[in-house]
Amino acid sequence: MELEVRHLRALCAIADAGSLHKAARQLGMSQPSLTTQLRRIENALGAELFSRERTGCRPTPLGRSVLSRARPLVSGMAALVAEARVVAGLADGPRLRIGSTASRALVGWLRRLRNRLPGTDISLHMDVSANVLLRMLAAGQLDVAFVHEVEGCPLLVPEGLERRVLVEREPQFISMARDHPAAGSPVVELADLAEDRWMVDPTVDGEWDGLRRVLGAAGLDPPVLHGDYLTAASLIAVGEAVAPCQPTSGPRDDMAIRPLRDDPLAVRLLLFSRPDGLGAGVEWAGAERVGAERAGVERVGGAERSSGDAVFADLEASYREAALRAVDYRRWLTAHKSPLLHARAA
């Protein structure tokens, strides 16, 4: 068997994800198929590239050596394809490729961008993994990525990307059945949920590690179910589980959303872009600037600041709109005297 770029891409995904299950989901294939592919690659090279452990997969010394050569090849191929597509697409008009993890701010953000950039082809690529989106951004497959970083679980940020901080610390609320005993209180204690099953999506970068850290610090060891949050919503509604959720989550008749006492679970909301600009052929002339100092712009690696203030301003306005629409989050913002309560220029 001859190694191909797709094989190298699979090896990089396994190393980055730390498990075959997560890597298979990111690659859009089944875990048995990825396991078979890995076995064939290892047979072709004559030795194991990953040691299978209870907590996941770790590269062997040979695996680390192969990965050090594979990563630049995979990145180079991705950049080649992305650049070719940009050149091919210039004749069709300007475009802006957005990547994002889930957020209630997306609808308003896209609406504002379409109003600001008429005639621009604006696309959206969703992924549960912020790290996957950042790699796509660095490889030129995206122009901007809006992601969240779980507190205590830093993202793997490729060098050279520009970062803007939308929200330094967004508290994560808890979703539970409407008739849950704790739903009667405006603020929930972790101890009130000690007997509940917790639902978490292990494919969301840092989600399980962050929750495990917080529960452990509180001396709790509840049963945990692993699955996507669409499934979680069904289980929560009938009282079979509770789960962390974004504070901007909309109301449901069968579900209650409450903040946790002292906000032990939190994420940081970030907008990343490349220093070479946002979007192929997009005309940004005349766009209002919101001030890099307030936007929290910084180049990873310490280089100069770049454009993108207009995109950030539209995202900021959209997030504020979603935040104030959520009743419990608006109460939390009021209690904490958040600057989000005050209108900002967009």
Side-chain angles (χ1 to χ4, degrees):
M1 182 184 103
E2 292 188 2
L3 289 184
E4 303 173 11
V5 174
R6 64 187 178 92
H7 298 136
L8 303 181
R9 188 179 296 113
L11 295 179
C12 293
I14 295 170
D16 292 339
S19 78
L20 287 167
H21 172 73
K22 291 182 181 180
R25 183 159 179 173
Q26 292 174 10
L27 293 168
M29 59 193 301
S30 68
Q31 182 174 334
S33 296
L34 181 58
T35 301
T36 300
Q37 187 176 94
L38 175 58
R39 189 178 299 116
R40 288 174 178 168
I41 296 172
E42 291 177 328
N43 289 339
L45 296 179
E48 285 192 347
L49 300 179
F50 293 91
S51 59
R52 282 69 156 179
E53 302 173 358
R54 186 177 60 83
T55 55
C57 294
R58 294 183 181 276
T60 62
L62 175 61
R64 289 194 292 271
S65 176
V66 171
L67 285 165
S68 68
R69 302 291 294 274
R71 291 189 188 280
L73 293 174
V74 171
S75 297
M77 180 58 73
L80 184 153
V81 172
E83 289 168 10
R85 286 175 176 170
V86 167
V87 173
L90 285 177
D92 299 326
R95 65 177 180 174
L96 180 63
R97 299 164 300 171
I98 296 172
S100 180
T101 51
S103 172
R104 284 349 187 258
L106 279 178
V107 173
W109 190 28
L110 292 175
R111 183 182 70 247
R112 285 176 168 84
L113 287 174
R114 293 191 193 283
N115 290 336
R116 184 187 292 276
L117 302 169
T120 298
D121 178 16
I122 301 176
S123 62
L124 175 65
H125 179 92
M126 300 289 297
D127 201 296
V128 296
S129 171
N131 286 316
V132 166
L133 293 171
L134 294 182
R135 289 197 296 272
M136 292 178 66
L137 176 62
Q141 297 169 285
L142 296 172
D143 299 308
V144 63
F146 174 40
V147 300
H148 69 273
E149 180 181 63
V150 176
E151 193 168 69
C153 304
L155 295 174
L156 304 174
V157 182
E159 189 170 353
L161 297 184
E162 291 184 341
R163 173 173 54 206
R164 287 171 168 81
V165 180
L166 176 65
V167 177
E168 184 62 43
R169 193 174 193 272
E170 180 195 70
Q172 297 302 279
F173 287 3
I174 296 296
S175 55
M176 64 192 76
R178 177 64 66 179
D179 58 357
H180 191 290
S185 302
V187 178
V188 175
E189 307 281 349
L190 264 179
D192 294 338
L193 309 173
E195 302 301 320
D196 288 284
R197 297 183 186 88
W198 286 70
M199 190 86 177
V200 65
D201 188 343
T203 62
V204 179
D205 296 325
E207 196 95 336
W208 170 222
D209 291 335
L211 177 60
R212 182 168 48 186
R213 175 180 57 82
V214 168
L215 292 175
L220 303 178
D221 187 23
V224 176
L225 305 176
H226 289 175
D228 64 272
Y229 284 119
L230 183 60
T231 303
S234 300
L235 294 174
I236 292 167
V238 296
E240 287 296 317
V242 299
C245 68
Q246 297 176 14
T248 51
S249 298
R252 287 180 46 158
D253 292 338
D254 56 358
M255 193 180 295
I257 296 171
R258 297 288 184 270
L260 282 170
R261 177 78 63 191
D262 299 326
D263 309 307
L265 290 168
V267 302
R268 185 163 60 149
L269 302 183
L270 305 165
L271 182 69
F272 285 91
S273 59
R274 295 190 311 279
D276 53 357
L278 290 172
V282 177
E283 292 292 336
W284 296 97
E288 301 92 333
R289 300 188 61 81
V290 296
E293 300 295 339
R294 183 176 61 78
V297 183
E298 62 178 282
R299 168 81 176 277
V300 179
E304 61 191 30
R305 290 173 177 171
S306 74
S307 61
D309 294 333
V311 171
F312 184 87
D314 285 342
L315 175 58
E316 185 178 46
S318 302
Y319 180 83
R320 179 179 179 275
E321 182 179 74
L324 298 184
R325 191 185 302 124
V327 175
D328 287 292
Y329 193 23
R330 188 167 66 240
R331 289 192 188 115
W332 186 94
L333 293 170
T334 301
H336 290 77
K337 297 181 173 59
S338 170
L340 274 174
L341 293 169
H342 308 295
R344 294 174 172 182

